[in-house]
Amino acid sequence: MIRVALQTLRMRWVSFLGTIIALVLGVAQVAAMGLLLAAMVDLPDRPAERFARAPAVVLPGDPDWDPARHDLGVRSLPAAKGVSPELLARVSAVGPVVADRDFYAQMAGGPADQVGHPWPVAEFGGYRLTAGRAPAGGREIVVTGGSGARPGARVTVLTAGEVATYTVTGVAEASGYEDAVFFTDEEAARLSPRINALVALGPLPAVRAAVTGSDASVLTGRDRHRADASAARDRESFDDTVTLLPVMASVAGSTAIFVVASTFAFAATQRRREVALLRAVGTTPRQVHRMILSEAALVGTAGSLAGVLLGPAGTGLLVRWLVSLDIAPPWLGVTPSLAPAVVLPLVAAFLIGVFVALGGALAAAWRAGRVRPVEALRESLVDDTGMTPGRWLLGAAGLLTGVGLVAWIAVGSPGTVLVPNSYVPTLLTPVLAAALLAPVAVGPLTRVLMWPFNRSLGATAVLVRASALTARRRTAATAAPVLLTVGLALSVLGATDTVNEARDQGLRNQTSAEYAILPEGTPGLSQAIVAKVAAVPGVQVVAPIMTTVFTEDDGRLDENDGMVVDPVALAAVYRLQITGGSLAGFNDGAVVVPDVWKIDSGERMEILMADGTTANLEVAAVYHALRGQDVAFLPPRFAGTGRYARDGLSRRAYLAFAPGTDRDAAVAAVRAAVGGVGARVVTSAELVASESAWARHLIAVRQKSVAGIVVLFCFIAIVNTLLMATADRRRDLMVLRLAGATRRQVLTVFAAESVLVVGIGVLLALAASTINLGGLWVALTRLFGATPVVVPYGTILGITVIATILALTATLLPAGAALRRNASRSTSTRE
């Protein structure tokens, strides 16, 4: 059977070309993603940066805290509190210590990630003065060489609590890993009371003994990198990358499996008479099975081997693409070697490719084994409906599953649509179900699409209509790739744009403010800026400060986001859907919580704050919130905790105006107040666009990447299927020519059939996508209120046009070549 399989591949190489290409690209993609994921699991040791010259670093933190299980930027309670006075005293008792404070400090016009430190810690990060001297007074600083400032210059520095003028007394050599501003020890302590780490210069055993029993660890060697700010940035990049790759791999893998399976099934259908002849000469069904599976094994091995060879090159392209999108860190890469992290993903990709080929051919082999010898004598090429009991079962199950998933998400779990990893794969089910049930729809759709042309096209319309109806299996098989291409593109891209629009709608509904203040070239707004705006007559400002609140639940500590706001301004600006209590009771001893916390108004809450203090607060009001938007609103007395939990900055400020205030004059006054201090005034529409920009970017990259990969696979399937179908219809060409049709008329008939097939595929895609987008609309309406369905008509039209061009090309080129060969043979015969 291996020899027969090899001969079949040699004779029918056109039929298997698309399958091999799909396998090569699929395996290369799996290999590239596997290599990258393995590289992220087994990361190279990053060298220490800020504490590269420190013998030991004491870093507070919860040893059981797994950053991957918590939101980015959230600190454990010990890390938020920093080095306690008791721990500082114990470590200081065994030897000298240098305290490091890491806080927001940005020179006006400087980079947004500029950071402040006390000068004594500078030497442990490799800093050295190249000009001037160390700071000695409270208003003196040292800057790095990249800032452009020279000793003696007076510069404005923005911190979380103030905007102040400092004198540059020295310039240090740039480190390359951060852009720092150095203060005296006393000034740094005033600006940031939290000590984030200690450099311990005492004997290491004594230091470890002093730290034992506390919520801190002693870092030495490469472990000191855990205290670097770049460690948190790397984790954010890894989270974005790990979120993207599995979705791409799962959707593209499912599409590749379907393409391979449909190709083998169509090839088996075309070879029914060939298989029947084999059966007639004594071949057993088992031998037929072995032949088909041998072909699949050969195709799978060749395609998988080529894909594995392309995988490492694909990894490099993938990494460069992710880095260019600011999703992966620039140092990430895969070095070719025989290490398990390199070999195992390649072996896994190879085996996946072979199993995909064999799995795709199983159904085709089973059906080929059921062909009866008598079918070799059949002259009619009229096939059946194309619906076997197994296909009916899979199609019906897929449709019921798809509709059930859509209904469950829409009604029972609408929040799923906001989680791409969970939601995007569900979009596949209705589309694949439509592809399985396509033969049922071929008849009705053919009659509908051909009805307008029955009179205008004459014999051509009759031939096209008859050909589609008498070869429903072939028509459905050639329409399926178009269905997949348009259906998945429409579902994924439509879902992306619709979810983005719904998020924007949610942002617009959160506040009644017509104007807001956003950072400009800074990571946030300092409280000095907020105070300047609040001083403008007739203006109320709500500038929430992000913090973290900790609550005990069954012996464990849960953390949640909190926002520190002014109670009066909260009621004036935020549109909260209050479900219990009243905002009138929100004061210094109260808190407003979301309903998903399952706490009733009037209850009292024991809350641990990020600075280590405890507060017993009454729940003044409960409001309705979505998961991910459930924050507690806290009174202004907790504003200082923001410097422990985060950086103490406000990410935005909303403006409200007292009755009778001249808004134009007030807005102009606010613009004047924030000018030159890293802030700008925007309208509510500009606020929504700015707030959603990065989320839109990540969602668009994730889902459009998936759609791009799927469309590529489906384009290959369109070309491959139509090449197979046309190459197998030489007899139809000869019959038409013998009946008197000209070469142009024959090609017109075949071109019209291709356009009809594309039309059938597009209509089925619209039906499947309507199910997906209809369920999405219901879910988003329940989450955000009335939300329009946004369809990227231009993109979908472009994909449809390309699919049509590919279908025509894959039909007319082999048909034209066959006509030329027949013409040359006829000429030779006459001679």
Side-chain angles (χ1 to χ4, degrees):
M1 284 297 111
I2 293 292
R3 183 180 301 172
V4 174
L6 284 170
Q7 292 173 348
T8 303
L9 291 177
R10 186 168 63 250
M11 295 297 296
R12 289 182 169 268
W13 64 270
V14 173
S15 300
F16 295 100
L17 181 60
T19 304
I20 292 176
I21 293 174
L23 271 176
V24 169
L25 293 178
V27 171
Q29 175 189 268
V30 171
M33 293 182 181
L35 287 170
L36 187 54
L37 289 172
M40 295 174 67
V41 171
D42 187 21
L43 289 172
D45 290 331
R46 298 287 311 284
E49 296 170 340
R50 185 185 300 166
F51 300 103
R53 300 185 181 182
V57 178
V58 177
L59 184 70
D62 184 349
D64 297 325
W65 181 269
D66 182 2
R69 297 180 179 272
H70 302 273
D71 293 338
L72 293 169
V74 175
R75 295 167 174 159
S76 66
L77 182 57
K81 290 191 300 184
V83 177
S84 65
E86 297 77 17
L87 179 60
L88 175 62
R90 291 205 304 270
V91 178
S92 299
V94 301
V97 298
V98 178
D100 180 37
R101 304 173 193 270
D102 180 344
F103 56 96
Y104 168 66
Q106 181 183 3
M107 294 170 55
D113 59 351
Q114 209 161 21
V115 63
H117 293 292
W119 173 249
V121 82
E123 64 174 298
F124 301 105
Y127 290 99
R128 62 182 182 85
L129 286 172
T130 57
R133 60 173 176 81
R139 292 297 176 180
E140 294 181 346
I141 59 173
V142 168
V143 299
T144 54
S147 66
R150 305 304 302 166
R154 291 180 60 78
V155 297
T156 299
V157 178
L158 287 68
T159 58
E162 63 185 36
V163 177
T165 300
Y166 288 82
T167 300
V168 177
T169 63
V171 177
E173 185 178 5
S175 66
Y177 58 82
E178 67 178 3
D179 200 321
V181 178
F182 293 98
F183 301 80
T184 62
D185 218 349
E186 295 76 12
E187 180 70 0
R190 183 183 72 84
L191 295 173
S192 176
R194 172 179 172 269
I195 300 175
N196 68 287
L198 288 177
V199 175
L201 302 175
L204 186 57
V207 172
R208 293 190 188 279
V211 172
T212 300
S214 66
D215 290 326
S217 54
V218 179
L219 309 179
T220 59
R222 291 188 180 273
D223 285 345
R224 293 170 297 175
H225 177 63
R226 288 167 46 194
D228 291 329
S230 60
R233 292 195 298 268
D234 291 347
R235 182 190 156 243
E236 181 177 0
S237 298
F238 294 154
D239 282 359
D240 292 338
T241 305
V242 170
T243 300
L244 172 64
L245 294 183
V247 177
M248 291 172 60
S250 62
V251 175
S254 301
T255 308
I257 290 171
F258 192 87
V259 168
V260 172
S262 61
T263 302
F264 275 111
F266 188 43
T269 300
Q270 289 182 310
R271 296 165 59 189
R272 289 181 69 86
R273 294 179 66 183
E274 174 188 323
V275 173
L277 284 172
L278 289 174
R279 294 279 287 114
V281 298
T283 306
T284 64
R286 184 174 181 181
Q287 288 175 316
V288 173
H289 293 165
R290 288 175 54 195
M291 180 186 71
I292 301 294
L293 293 178
S294 296
E295 293 170 1
L298 291 171
V299 168
T301 301
S304 299
L305 184 59
V308 165
L309 294 176
L310 289 176
T315 305
L317 294 174
L318 182 61
V319 169
R320 286 193 292 273
W321 176 63
L322 293 173
V323 170
S324 69
L325 295 172
D326 292 329
I327 291 178
W331 52 265
L332 183 63
V334 177
T335 303
S337 68
L338 295 178
V342 175
V343 174
L344 291 180
L346 294 178
V347 172
F350 176 82
L351 294 176
I352 288 172
V354 173
F355 286 135
V356 164
L358 291 172
L362 278 175
W366 178 77
R367 290 183 59 199
R370 296 178 65 231
V371 173
R372 295 172 298 171
V374 73
E375 294 189 37
L377 303 178
R378 290 175 58 184
E379 287 294 328
S380 173
L381 295 179
V382 178
D383 63 17
D384 55 22
T385 62
M387 293 299 295
T388 62
R391 187 163 186 161
W392 269 114
L393 181 62
L394 287 175
L399 183 61
L400 291 174
T401 301
V403 173
L405 276 174
V406 167
W408 176 74
I409 290 173
V411 178
S413 181
T416 303
V417 301
L418 304 178
V419 185
N421 280 19
S422 302
Y423 181 61
V424 171
T426 66
L427 299 175
L428 284 168
T429 310
V431 179
L432 294 178
L436 288 168
L437 296 173
V440 179
V442 165
L445 291 180
T446 297
R447 295 184 180 93
V448 169
L449 290 173
M450 292 305 300
W451 177 76
F453 306 103
N454 285 341
R455 294 185 178 181
S456 60
L457 296 181
T460 300
V462 173
L463 287 172
V464 170
R465 182 175 180 273
S467 177
L469 292 176
T470 56
R472 297 188 186 190
R473 189 192 299 276
R474 185 191 69 214
T475 304
T478 50
V482 179
L483 160 62
L484 287 174
T485 305
V486 178
L488 289 177
L490 179 55
S491 295
V492 175
L493 297 181
T496 301
D497 292 347
T498 303
V499 168
N500 282 336
E501 178 61 28
R503 287 180 181 273
D504 290 352
Q505 184 71 24
L507 287 173
R508 284 190 286 268
N509 292 338
Q510 280 182 1
T511 174
S512 60
E514 297 179 13
Y515 293 91
I517 302 173
L518 290 179
E520 186 171 41
T522 63
L525 304 173
S526 74
Q527 298 314 297
I529 296 175
V530 175
K532 290 177 68 175
V533 174
V536 176
V539 173
Q540 284 183 315
V541 58
V542 178
I545 299 173
M546 286 296 296
T547 187
T548 305
V549 296
F550 298 88
T551 55
E552 290 189 7
D553 183 15
D554 294 332
R556 74 175 189 275
L557 211 56
D558 289 338
E559 85 284 345
N560 289 284
D561 288 336
M563 281 189 180
V564 179
V565 295
D566 178 75
V568 176
L570 172 66
V573 172
Y574 274 89
R575 289 174 176 162
L576 297 181
Q577 184 180 341
I578 303 299
T579 59
S582 170
L583 291 180
F586 183 33
N587 52 43
D588 255 9
V591 62
V592 177
V593 300
D595 52 1
V596 293
W597 288 15
K598 306 299 182 184
I599 300 175
D600 296 327
S601 59
E603 291 187 28
R604 300 199 68 84
M605 291 184 64
E606 190 81 16
I607 296 176
L608 288 171
M609 303 307 299
D611 60 355
T613 59
T614 301
N616 189 284
L617 303 175
E618 181 182 355
V619 177
V622 178
Y623 70 97
H624 174 66
L626 302 175
R627 275 293 177 191
Q629 298 178 0
D630 50 328
V631 301
F633 290 97
L634 301 163
R637 70 185 178 101
F638 296 106
T641 66
R643 301 191 194 186
Y644 288 83
R646 311 271 180 148
D647 53 16
L649 298 173
S650 297
R651 295 296 176 261
R652 70 196 71 83
Y654 303 107
L655 300 181
F657 303 96
T661 301
D662 184 340
R663 297 197 176 191
D664 292 339
V667 170
V670 172
R671 283 198 170 99
V674 301
V677 290
R680 61 190 175 99
V681 179
V682 298
T683 63
S684 58
E686 292 170 331
L687 170 67
V688 169
S690 175
E691 291 286 287
S692 62
W694 180 245
R696 278 178 173 268
H697 170 70
L698 286 179
I699 293 173
V701 167
R702 181 183 299 120
Q703 297 186 198
K704 290 182 180 180
S705 301
V706 170
I709 292 172
V710 168
V711 168
L712 175 62
F713 276 112
C714 292
F715 279 165
I716 294 170
I718 290 172
V719 173
N720 184 54
T721 305
L722 283 166
L723 278 174
M724 291 169 60
T726 306
D728 200 54
R729 297 181 63 192
R730 296 186 182 92
R731 184 171 181 176
D732 292 353
L733 293 169
M734 292 175 62
V735 169
L736 287 173
R737 291 290 282 143
L738 290 172
T742 65
R743 184 174 183 273
R744 181 176 180 179
Q745 288 173 324
V746 172
L747 293 179
T748 299
V749 170
F750 273 66
E753 287 186 27
S754 296
V755 174
L756 173 63
V757 164
V758 172
I760 292 171
V762 169
L763 289 180
L764 288 172
L766 291 176
S769 299
T770 299
I771 296 174
N772 283 327
L773 297 181
L776 175 66
W777 177 79
V778 173
L780 292 176
T781 299
R782 296 190 64 211
L783 292 174
F784 299 103
T787 300
V789 174
V790 182
V791 177
Y793 293 104
T795 303
I796 300 303
L797 179 61
I799 290 173
T800 303
V801 170
I802 294 173
T804 304
I805 293 172
L806 289 174
L808 288 171
T809 303
T811 299
L812 295 179
L813 287 181
L819 286 172
R820 286 192 296 271
R821 283 195 299 270
N822 290 339
S824 62
R825 288 172 184 169
S826 298
T827 302
S828 301
T829 302
R830 285 196 298 268
E831 292 176 353

